[in-house]
Amino acid sequence: MQGKRILLGVTGSISAYKTAHLTRLLVKAGAEVQVVMTEAATTFITPLTLSTLSKRPVLTTFVKDETGQWNNHVDLGLWADALLIAPASANTIARCAQGLCNDLLSAVYLSARCPVFFAPAMDLDMYKHPATLGNLAKLRAYGNHIIEAEYGELASGLVGEGRLAEPETIVQTLDRHFSLRPAMAGKRVLITAGPTQEPIDPVRYISNHSTGKMGYAIADAFAKAGAHVTLVSGPTALSVPDSTICRIDVRSAAEMFGAMQQAFPESDIVILNAAVADYTPAHPADQKIKKKDALFDLELTKTTDIAATLGSQKRSGQLMMGFALETENERQNALKKLHAKNLDWIVLNSLRDQGAGFGHDTNKITVIDKHEAVYEFSLKSKEAVARDLLQLVERVL
């Protein structure tokens, strides 16, 4: 924490009284603390208290004084090494999740380029309300960190989850964040994403419904964890989520295989998420095929099985993760692929699970490792799924 610049956002919650102790702990740990308060927060604890403890004027509004000087939310967002919103009220969580921007703190949040930590504090029923849970899920999907509320007696007299995490816990969370070396630093990760398109003629092709969202989310998660990511992508409408990702665009299964063969030997981790065609037209036409007969026969030939081929070439220390999208006998089919293709993990999707599979922003997965240990996950955003997969790889490393 020594020398770290912390923006402490304080919102309208009875737990705001704890921010005096929190500010003191942050300063004692060597951090520079700039407090930003909402108007509601000032009714629970005075700006004078936090200004005295932080040794900086507390900011509450955009305008400093009648001369036209103002508190620049963009500069504040660039200044900070971390933005900590504690306590984060249900109202502030909702506004940040929706991108609303009607006070200085929410403007700073939208301007921040640093990691953002939310420490919720509210009554039990508010904390468990579907709206709040949905907003917290959105904030996680945006890449923010949530310091979970704790269980205990609440201001209402109820007992349950909703208490602001203790100041010591919050400081420990920040300290761990700054002391950790990125989990994937120095690792070379090769990822496939999207569909392939197999040409019938210059106009038509065979493809599938893959959008690439899952593969791009995985690439983003590993890049943010410090990895050198190469993304071999079939045709999608997506942009690379992180500027450090090296993207290689391909169209057909043969092109994807060629790109993978070239990058595979130098890769530490290979994640095969693309929906690669199993068959391709044996004799694609040079010119557009004209509509003539009522029936049209199309001869298909098998494409190269990328996962099986790379799995047979896998060197000691390389890790491979494959995906299996199934509609029946899901577990048995996934296990068969896991062992036949020499994978370390197989990620199973079932099209029978609502909200999973192609075209959704959510996914529901079951992961089986090479020892046949099973990890089941609930339906969540594809960004959250990508972080779950990252954590599985981190455990092995």
Side-chain angles (χ1 to χ4, degrees):
M1 293 291 292
Q2 186 67 41
K4 298 299 181 184
R5 297 172 171 179
I6 308 298
L7 272 174
L8 175 58
V10 183
T11 73
S13 163
I14 186 62
S15 298
Y17 79 89
K18 293 185 178 181
T19 56
H21 183 39
L22 176 59
T23 302
R24 183 75 187 97
L25 288 176
L26 290 169
V27 171
K28 189 175 180 180
E32 297 180 49
V33 181
Q34 175 61 67
V35 179
V36 179
M37 300 180 72
T38 65
E39 183 178 351
T42 63
T43 64
F44 292 98
I45 186 169
T46 67
L48 177 60
T49 299
L50 298 182
S51 175
T52 302
L53 294 170
S54 66
K55 301 178 176 58
R56 287 172 173 267
V58 168
L59 309 180
T60 57
T61 61
F62 286 101
V63 180
K64 281 185 178 180
D65 53 43
E66 65 279 356
T67 66
Q69 284 190 309
W70 64 301
N71 297 311
N72 190 325
H73 56 285
V74 175
D75 285 347
L76 287 167
L78 293 173
W79 173 83
D81 293 307
L83 169 59
L84 168 64
I85 301 180
S89 65
N91 180 55
T92 295
I93 287 169
R95 287 192 294 113
C96 290
Q98 301 302 321
L100 301 179
C101 183
N102 62 347
D103 63 11
L104 180 59
L105 179 56
S106 56
V108 169
Y109 165 69
L110 289 179
S111 303
R113 295 186 182 180
C114 59
V116 180
F117 295 79
F118 286 86
M122 63 199 75
D123 205 62
L124 169 64
D125 296 316
M126 297 173 71
Y127 188 59
K128 291 297 186 181
H129 195 282
T132 303
L133 295 177
N135 288 330
L136 287 171
K138 271 191 176 184
L139 292 175
R140 285 191 184 93
Y142 297 156
N144 300 302
H145 305 269
I146 308 299
I147 303 173
E148 301 290 350
E150 296 181 355
Y151 183 94
E153 185 176 354
L154 306 172
S156 65
L158 296 175
V159 176
E161 289 180 281
R163 282 170 60 103
L164 177 69
E166 290 302 319
E168 290 83 359
T169 301
I170 294 172
V171 173
Q172 287 169 6
T173 300
L174 288 176
D175 189 59
R176 281 197 303 270
H177 169 78
F178 287 120
S179 63
L180 283 176
R181 181 173 179 263
M184 291 291 148
K187 297 296 181 184
R188 292 159 296 186
V189 182
L190 177 61
I191 301 170
T192 64
T196 63
Q197 295 177 354
E198 309 304 315
I200 299 172
D201 62 21
V203 177
R204 305 174 182 91
Y205 56 81
I206 299 171
S207 190
N208 55 63
H209 297 295
S210 174
T211 60
K213 290 179 181 178
M214 190 70 253
Y216 275 62
I218 295 169
D220 188 39
F222 276 81
K224 283 183 167 56
H228 301 293
V229 176
T230 298
L231 177 64
V232 179
S233 175
T236 76
L238 302 175
S239 300
V240 175
D242 189 294
S243 61
T244 65
I245 295 171
C246 174
R247 172 171 156 175
I248 300 173
D249 290 313
V250 298
R251 186 166 295 276
S252 67
E255 289 178 6
M256 183 168 284
F257 176 62
M260 293 298 289
Q261 278 280 68
Q262 187 170 358
F264 179 75
E266 302 302 320
S267 299
D268 300 303
I269 301 157
V270 180
I271 300 176
L272 301 164
N273 175 255
V276 184
D278 293 322
Y279 291 88
T280 188
H283 307 289
D286 294 331
Q287 303 296 327
K288 180 182 175 182
I289 299 171
K290 298 297 183 181
K291 181 168 62 176
K292 296 179 182 177
D293 303 324
L295 295 178
F296 175 69
D297 293 327
L298 183 62
E299 183 182 359
L300 301 176
T301 184
K302 270 190 176 182
T303 59
T304 301
D305 190 324
I306 297 175
T309 304
L310 298 183
S312 67
Q313 300 171 359
K314 187 170 70 168
R315 58 176 165 77
S316 176
Q318 270 186 317
L319 298 174
M320 287 184 61
M321 177 182 288
F323 279 67
L325 178 63
E326 302 292 342
T327 58
E328 59 181 356
N329 301 321
E330 290 97 334
R331 190 73 61 89
Q332 298 93 315
N333 288 332
L335 276 170
K336 185 177 178 180
K337 289 182 180 180
L338 171 69
H339 295 304
K341 301 184 182 188
N342 194 25
L343 301 173
D344 296 281
W345 302 271
I346 190 79
V347 182
L348 172 61
N349 288 130
S350 173
L351 281 182
R352 294 194 290 182
D353 289 330
Q354 189 174 4
F358 295 141
H360 297 285
D361 292 326
T362 54
N363 205 356
K364 184 177 185 294
I365 63 169
T366 298
V367 182
I368 309 172
D369 70 18
K370 64 182 179 181
H371 306 295
E372 299 192 11
V374 178
Y375 307 86
E376 297 199 27
F377 298 90
S378 61
L379 182 72
K380 56 183 70 177
S381 71
K382 288 185 173 176
E383 291 79 9
V385 171
R387 292 194 292 272
D388 288 335
L389 297 176
L390 170 65
Q391 288 176 1
L392 287 177
V393 176
E394 286 177 350
R395 289 178 195 171
V396 172
L397 294 178

